[in-house]
Structure formats: C-alpha cells, structure tokens
Amino acid sequence: MTHVASFEALLAVARQEARLGLAEGGIPIGAALFGPDGEPLGRGHNRRVQDGDPSTHAETAAFRAAGRQRDYRGTTMVTTLSPCWYCSGLVRQFGIGHVVIGEATTFHGGHDWLAEHGVRITLLDDPECVALMRDFIAARPELWFEDIGQPED
C-alpha cells in the first residue's frame, strides 16, 4: 500500500475517530490499525477524559480494538497526530511496520525515532488534522498540556 490516495482514505477513518473523541468532550486524536492488504483491524480515539484513563491514547485504543494478531510487521498504524513517546513505544514493541501521520505541526512526537529504527513513516501534513488540533489547543490548553505530560506555560 503506497499510493497517497490510499493513505488519504485510511486517514479519513482516523479523522472520523478524532471527531468522535471531540464530540464526546475528549481530545481530538484518532487512529486505526490496518492489515497488509488495507483491511481495517481496529480503530479508536483518545479516551483519556471520557474513561479517566491516562493510557487510552488513540493508537492504544485502535491497537486494543484490533485484538490479538500473530504478527504486526505488515500492519499500518494511521494516526491524526504524530505519536507520542508512549504510542511510539507501542509501535516499536509490537513491530508495526508503517505509521501514516496526519500531521506533526502541532505536536512532533516520536516519529523520527521510529524512522531511525526501521519503521516506515508517511507524514501527510493534512490541513484538516492541523486545524482540528489548533482549534482544540486554543480552546482547551490545560487539557492538551495534561495529555502530553507538560505543564501549561
């Protein structure tokens, strides 16, 4: 799966999840895990606020929804935002081979580190993903800084 239009279709699933999270009063980050042939395995969104669980990031929610897989090397994690260190660790731990990122403008997570360790990275610089996060950060900076584990400046 290498065609940009295909990546855009996969990102649409993650964006839908991000909008669901925002509508629930949470942080608008969405993700989905796809198999080698592009079949959806699991999808989810950041649910830290909704569940009161700081570990429920979008990528972990999608990973959990996918259920147990024998091998993750041929899978692709699609996320609306550059994965944080926690989620980057998940990608490395389970050998997810490809991460498609909606944007890294509002937050530059661990995707450079993932690339250095052999994970294929596709950064789409999607304007809708950027706008979603910029609007959220402007409206709820305290929640955003809590999510990324930094004190609000």
Side-chain angles (χ1 to χ4, degrees):
M1 179 171 296
T2 58
H3 192 268
V4 173
S6 299
F7 296 148
E8 292 292 341
L10 302 181
L11 183 60
V13 175
R15 274 196 311 259
Q16 182 181 34
E17 286 293 326
R19 288 190 293 271
L20 283 171
L22 183 62
E24 294 171 355
I27 300 162
I29 304 170
L33 185 66
F34 293 90
D37 295 327
E39 71 275 13
L41 300 174
R43 57 191 289 168
H45 51 274
N46 186 304
R47 295 193 51 84
R48 294 181 76 252
V49 174
Q50 299 92 313
D51 296 347
D53 179 352
S55 70
T56 311
H57 288 203
E59 296 87 346
T60 59
F63 181 76
R64 289 173 181 159
R68 184 174 165 204
Q69 304 293 314
R70 183 165 174 76
D71 183 10
Y72 294 91
R73 283 176 289 190
T75 62
T76 299
M77 178 68 76
V78 180
T79 180
T80 57
L81 185 64
S82 178
C84 70
W85 288 107
Y86 171 65
C87 295
S88 294
L90 179 142
V91 169
R92 283 285 320 276
Q93 173 69 32
F94 291 96
I96 293 170
H98 186 192
V99 178
V100 175
I101 302 165
E103 66 104 348
T105 302
T106 61
F107 179 75
H108 192 102
H111 69 268
D112 292 334
W113 175 75
L114 288 171
E116 289 169 10
H117 288 87
V119 177
R120 183 172 165 221
I121 300 296
T122 302
L123 180 56
L124 298 177
D125 290 321
D126 180 73
E128 186 177 342
C129 289
V130 173
L132 193 60
M133 284 309 301
R134 279 195 175 141
D135 291 349
F136 176 76
I137 293 167
R140 300 290 312 271
E142 76 292 345
L143 191 53
W144 170 243
F145 287 110
E146 175 191 324
D147 188 60
I148 60 173
Q150 294 181 4
E152 187 175 356
D153 292 330

